[in-house]
Amino acid sequence: MAVNFDPVMACNLRCKMCYFTDDDYVKTLKGQFKEDELNQAAKTIFKRALKLQIGCGTEPTLYKDLVKVVELGKTYNVPYISITTNANLLDEEKIEKLLKAGLNEFTISLHGVTKESYESFMKKANYEKFHNAFKAFAKLKSKYDFKVRINYTFNKDNFYELKDFFKHFDGNSFDILQIRPIQKIGNTEYNDFDLETIRGDYPVIIKSIKASCKANNIMLLASDEIPRKDETNQSSLIFDYTFCYVSPQKFWKDGFDWKNESFNTFSKKIGWSNTLFQNAFKSKHELKSLSNRLNYEIEFN
C-alpha cells in the first residue's frame, strides 16, 4: 500500500498552477496533526505502507514535527520514505536532520527554470533559496544515500526553457527529472491547458533533454509525446485500490473511525480485500474511467 500523508493543511506558496490560488478552496483546508494524533495515525497505517509519501497536496515543511513523521515511518519499518516539497523552507541543517531520521528521497516541485519564470509561476517563492537547497543536496550526497527527484510541470509558457535546464541546475544535485504536462486540478490562477501549440516541438526538446540527462547520469521520466486527453495508463488502473490518503481532514476511506477502530476491523467490514482482488483482474475497459494517471517512458542512464 502507498500511504500519502499530509501532516498539515497549508502551503507557503501560491503557485499559479495549483489550487492554493483558489481562495475559496484554501478556506476549506484546515488543521494539522497533534502529537497524539500523529502517533495514532502512524500506528494505524504506517506498518502497512510499502512507501510513505509525505506531502501530497500541501507543503509538509510547514509541519514542526516533520522529522518525527520520518522517524515514525522507520519505527514501523516503511521501506521507502519520500517528501514532496517546494524546498523554499529547506536549508542544509533541516535537510540533514531529515536524512538522519531515515528519509530516502526528496521530491521537489518546479514550475520554471529561470528566475523570472520560477518566481512568476511559483508566487511567494525565492529562486536563490530554492537553489541553496540544491547546493545542500549536492554537498550531503557525499555523506548520505538518498535521491532527489525534480517534478517539472510544464505549460506552453514555461516549456521551451527546459532546453536550458542544465545551465541552471547542477547534475550532481539531483538524480531524477520528471517532466509532466499541466493538468486541471481545480480553480487555478493559470488555466491555459492547451498544449497543441507545442506538440510539434515537444519531441525535439525532449530528445535534447534525454541527451543532457544521459551525460549527467540522470534518470528521465517523460513521455516521448504529449499524452492526449483520451489516453489512460493501463499500469496504473489498480492505483485507486492500493492508494491511501491521510490528512487532518481525511483518513483513507469515508466512515473509518481511525481513532477508535482498527484498520483490519474496518477493512473487513467494507470487504476491502475482496474488492482489491476482484479489481486486480478487471479489464481495461472496466477500469479505464477510474484512473487517468500519466504514462512515462523511463530513461535509465
Side-chain angles (χ1 to χ4, degrees):
M1 175 180 285
V3 175
N4 279 37
F5 189 78
D6 274 332
V8 58
M9 303 304 289
C11 187
N12 55 316
L13 304 187
R14 292 295 181 266
C15 299
K16 290 182 178 179
M17 291 186 283
C18 177
Y19 43 71
F20 268 92
T21 53
D22 180 351
D23 291 338
D24 291 334
Y25 183 74
V26 170
K27 291 176 183 177
T28 70
L29 301 178
K30 298 178 181 179
Q32 61 180 307
F33 279 100
K34 299 176 182 178
E35 183 178 2
D36 59 333
E37 293 174 329
L38 176 60
N39 290 329
Q40 180 62 43
K43 181 180 179 181
T44 301
I45 203 69
F46 281 12
K47 63 184 178 183
R48 299 181 176 277
L50 294 176
K51 179 181 180 182
L52 172 61
Q53 184 70 55
I54 307 169
C56 179
T58 65
E59 178 51 48
T61 58
L62 289 170
Y63 189 62
K64 65 178 182 178
D65 291 327
L66 184 57
V67 171
K68 184 176 180 180
V69 178
V70 178
E71 291 173 341
L72 284 169
K74 287 303 177 183
T75 297
Y76 288 98
N77 299 313
V78 179
Y80 200 82
I81 304 176
S82 178
I83 286 177
T84 299
T85 173
N86 58 51
N88 269 243
L89 298 179
L90 291 177
D91 56 29
E92 183 177 337
E93 180 182 3
K94 291 177 181 177
I95 292 169
E96 187 162 22
K97 285 182 178 180
L98 290 165
L99 293 172
K100 286 181 177 179
L103 188 70
N104 301 105
E105 180 186 61
F106 288 92
T107 300
I108 311 298
S109 302
L110 178 62
H111 301 165
V113 175
T114 66
K115 176 180 173 65
E116 180 181 9
S117 179
Y118 173 82
E119 293 186 350
S120 173
F121 278 107
M122 306 188 77
K123 293 166 65 176
K124 297 187 177 182
N126 183 284
Y127 194 68
E128 286 72 27
K129 288 183 178 179
F130 185 79
H131 273 282
N132 283 340
F134 277 83
K135 290 176 183 178
F137 291 147
K139 178 180 178 180
L140 291 169
K141 278 184 167 296
S142 64
K143 295 175 60 178
Y144 299 93
D145 181 17
F146 69 103
K147 300 294 184 183
V148 176
R149 173 199 294 250
I150 296 176
N151 280 354
Y152 190 90
T153 302
F154 72 87
N155 54 53
K156 68 179 185 181
D157 294 311
N158 70 355
F159 174 69
Y160 288 99
E161 61 198 70
L162 276 168
K163 65 181 183 296
D164 296 322
F165 195 89
F166 285 92
K167 293 180 181 179
H168 297 269
F169 288 85
D170 179 5
N172 294 315
S173 66
F174 67 102
D175 309 276
I176 303 166
L177 175 59
Q178 180 172 348
I179 300 173
R180 57 189 186 183
I182 183 175
Q183 286 187 313
K184 185 174 179 58
I185 59 171
N187 185 24
T188 56
E189 179 176 338
Y190 186 93
N191 54 22
D192 189 342
F193 305 102
D194 184 8
L195 299 175
E196 293 306 310
T197 58
I198 64 173
R199 182 175 293 279
D201 293 330
Y202 179 89
V204 177
I205 300 296
I206 290 298
K207 183 178 180 180
S208 173
I209 294 170
K210 282 184 179 180
S212 296
C213 284
K214 185 174 182 179
N216 286 275
N217 198 31
I218 302 295
M219 180 187 294
L220 175 65
L221 299 173
S223 58
D224 287 330
E225 297 180 352
I226 298 176
R228 298 186 183 277
K229 294 179 181 179
D230 58 350
E231 290 181 347
T232 301
N233 181 356
Q234 297 180 41
S235 65
S236 297
L237 294 176
I238 201 64
F239 180 89
D240 293 283
Y241 297 94
T242 58
F243 171 84
C244 174
Y245 177 66
V246 178
S247 78
Q249 295 182 319
K250 182 177 177 61
F251 202 114
W252 189 37
K253 295 184 180 296
D254 293 338
F256 182 25
D257 183 11
W258 61 276
K259 294 181 181 179
N260 300 297
E261 187 176 16
S262 72
F263 181 93
N264 284 341
T265 299
F266 181 73
S267 61
K268 288 179 181 178
K269 184 167 63 177
I270 64 172
W272 177 71
S273 296
N274 290 334
T275 302
L276 175 61
F277 180 79
Q278 291 168 5
N279 281 285
F281 295 98
K282 279 190 175 181
S283 67
K284 182 179 95 170
H285 176 74
E286 290 176 292
L287 283 169
K288 69 181 296 184
S289 65
L290 297 177
S291 180
N292 190 21
R293 315 297 167 189
L294 293 177
N295 209 350
Y296 294 100
E297 299 294 333
I298 302 178
E299 296 290 330
F300 292 96
N301 297 304

